[in-house]
Every structure is written in structure tokens, then in C-alpha cells.
Amino acid sequence: MSNMSPTDPLAEVLRVSQVRGAVLAQVVAGDPWGIAISQTEGVAMHAVISGSCWLRLSGEVPRQLLRGDIVFLPHGTPHTIASASTGATISFDRLAKQQLLSPAGELRVNAEQDRASTRFLCAGYDFDHNVSHRLISLLPTVVHVRAEESDGEIQATLRLLTSELRGVAPGASVAIDRLIDVVFVQVLRAQISRDEHTAASWLTALADPMIAAALAVLHERPRP
């Protein structure tokens, strides 16, 4: 029997999905730059700590990301993060091989001396795909939470995460992993809130107290 609240099926789904996040790199970039990230099996996440950049996906209009913005790519779609809406790129794998991460976990791209203009996090999430398929499949190709529309909790978590990424405090690596998981939950909350006034979906149902209670019972007792 789960000890989760019977009115919180999202927490139950996340628990059984065994979602785990990890920071892949802290990218420090100076114009011009472009990083191409190939298809991944999990969820890709980028959070802009300072400066700005562009997210580019094949067949979609490029979108600008500003300081405090977070983007999730729930389906691991190939994409580019760059200093401009067009321009040349280098693959993340090739870049990582050419420029080894610093002891602080930084991946510097064209950022010698005072050329750094943008700093952002690259993180990834893995989970039990069989359990999470129903939840992840309902999310759009890109979940973009802008700084100005996010609540104070998300921005507070980003500030804590940025502080921990300096890596000087005892237990920093553990704190980073936990905070990355918190960001995942907070972004899902933001998406559920957006869906409350759109077409019905499982995410919308999770936001409805009565339907959420019924879903919780199904999770607790899937068999008659």
C-alpha cells in the first residue's frame, strides 16, 4: 500500500516511474555558438542561468530562451541550442570529446576570457518507460516555461541549483540530483495548470480533484 496521498496521483505516477534526473553539463558560451543534441531516450531539459539563446527544432519556428526560462523535450527530440536562430552547429558528443568538462562541470564553448555571454544547464531524465508512457505521451514536443510566467518556486529552485553547482559545499552532488528532480515536478505542475482550460487529457484530469481521486484509487487498487 502506497503512503502517498489518495488525491495525488501525479506523485504516485512519478514514484512508480522512478524518475531520476542528472546534470549533463553546465554550458558557458560566447557568441557565436551552436550545439546540436541528438535523439535521446529520456527527457532533455535546458535551463538558462544567464544571457539568452535559441532552441531550434526541425520543422518548427525557432524560439528564444531568456534568463530563467526552462524547456523540456519530453520525447528526446533532436534539437539545437544556439546563440542565434540560424547558423552552424557542432554536435554535443563531438564537443564534449573536444573540450573535456572542467572540474566544476563546465563545458566552455567559444568562451575564452570575457567572451562568455550565455550560461545554461543541460540535464537529462530517465525513468521506467513502460510506466511513464501514458504521462509522457500526452506532453507536447516542447514544454517551455518562461521566467515571467513561472511561479516563484521554480525560480527559487533554479537559484538553489545554480548555487549548488559551484560544488564547494559538502553534499553538493546529492543536493544537485534532488533539485533536478524537483524541477521536473515543478515543470509538470506548470504544464498541468496550462491544460486546465484546454481539451480534456489525462494531465487535465490530474488537475481535477474528483477525477484525480478516482485515478488515485485505480493506482492503489488496479485489480477488482
Side-chain angles (χ1 to χ4, degrees):
M1 178 70 67
S2 170
N3 60 2
M4 293 292 175
S5 166
T7 60
D8 193 357
L10 177 59
E12 176 68 9
V13 169
L14 292 176
R15 183 186 68 80
V16 299
S17 299
Q18 300 180 347
V19 177
R20 292 291 182 271
V23 173
L24 304 180
Q26 306 170 56
V27 179
V28 182
D31 297 344
W33 58 274
I35 302 172
I37 301 173
S38 58
Q39 179 79 37
T40 61
E41 292 187 2
V43 176
M45 184 274 273
H46 304 294
V48 183
I49 303 304
S50 63
S52 63
C53 54
W54 289 80
L55 174 67
R56 291 153 38 183
L57 283 79
S58 178
E60 294 196 11
V61 176
R63 65 178 75 200
Q64 189 174 28
L65 310 179
L66 304 177
R67 178 182 178 182
D69 283 12
I70 300 176
V71 289
F72 271 28
L73 292 97
H75 314 296
T77 308
H79 59 283
T80 291
I81 301 289
S83 58
S85 58
T86 60
T89 65
I90 185 171
S91 72
F92 182 83
D93 290 341
R94 181 183 171 194
L95 179 66
K97 290 178 182 178
Q98 289 179 345
Q99 303 181 27
L100 296 178
L101 292 176
S102 73
E106 290 184 347
L107 186 64
R108 303 186 71 85
V109 185
N110 206 24
E112 297 81 5
Q113 298 179 354
D114 61 349
R115 296 185 62 182
S117 59
T118 302
R119 179 185 292 266
F120 65 96
L121 302 180
C122 288
Y125 294 90
D126 198 10
F127 43 82
D128 185 322
H129 291 260
N130 291 327
V131 175
S132 299
H133 175 72
R134 188 178 183 188
L135 172 62
I136 299 300
S137 67
L138 291 170
L139 294 172
T141 302
V142 177
V143 176
H144 182 187
V145 180
R146 294 178 174 83
E148 68 270 16
E149 67 181 11
S150 64
D151 58 30
E153 293 181 356
I154 294 180
Q155 297 307 312
T157 303
L158 283 183
R159 287 193 294 271
L160 284 172
L161 185 55
T162 303
S163 176
E164 292 293 340
L165 282 166
R166 298 189 182 100
V168 297
S173 61
V174 176
I176 289 167
D177 288 344
R178 300 297 183 270
L179 289 168
I180 285 291
D181 292 343
V182 170
V183 171
F184 186 84
V185 175
Q186 290 176 331
V187 170
L188 282 183
R189 285 176 181 167
Q191 185 62 30
I192 290 172
S193 178
R194 287 176 178 172
D195 284 355
E196 284 181 346
H197 304 295
T198 60
S201 70
W202 194 57
L203 286 175
T204 305
L206 289 174
D208 184 286
M210 294 184 64
I211 299 177
L215 287 173
V217 172
L218 291 176
H219 280 291
E220 291 285 341
R221 298 190 293 274
R223 296 181 180 178

